[in-house]
Amino acid sequence: IYALLQARGDASIPIVFDSQNVELQQKASVLERFPHLLKVVRDVEETALLKSQHVIACTPNDANAFAAEYGLDA
């Protein structure tokens, strides 16, 4: 997301985040001993969600998880 935002610059090109999963949930057990890395995952996912004009979630559960974790409208 950071590279896309930089490449877009000031242009009004919309970003659509097509999510294959809730990355924070996917990585939680793998990174439980590395909370600083889990925070990086959360920050990247949150930025992608908040900076995108549209988000496509694979399942209603994913949409609800995004809503619960990041305060978005499912």
Side-chain angles (χ1 to χ4, degrees), residues 6-74:
Q6 183 178 4
R8 180 177 70 175
D10 293 335
S12 60
I13 301 168
I15 295 173
V16 176
F17 180 34
D18 184 5
S19 172
Q20 299 304 303
N21 55 55
V22 180
E23 205 62 38
L24 188 63
Q25 289 178 348
Q26 290 287 97
K27 301 291 190 274
S29 63
V30 175
L31 297 176
E32 66 186 347
R33 296 183 323 165
F34 307 98
H36 62 288
L37 294 178
L38 194 57
K39 183 183 180 325
V40 171
V41 171
R42 187 188 193 288
D43 291 348
V44 171
E45 187 165 64
E46 181 176 44
T47 300
L49 290 162
L50 296 179
K51 295 293 185 177
S52 295
Q53 283 64 40
H54 300 282
V55 176
I56 300 169
C58 285
T59 68
N61 287 345
D62 285 357
N64 290 332
F66 285 142
E69 182 65 36
Y70 300 104
L72 303 172
D73 182 11

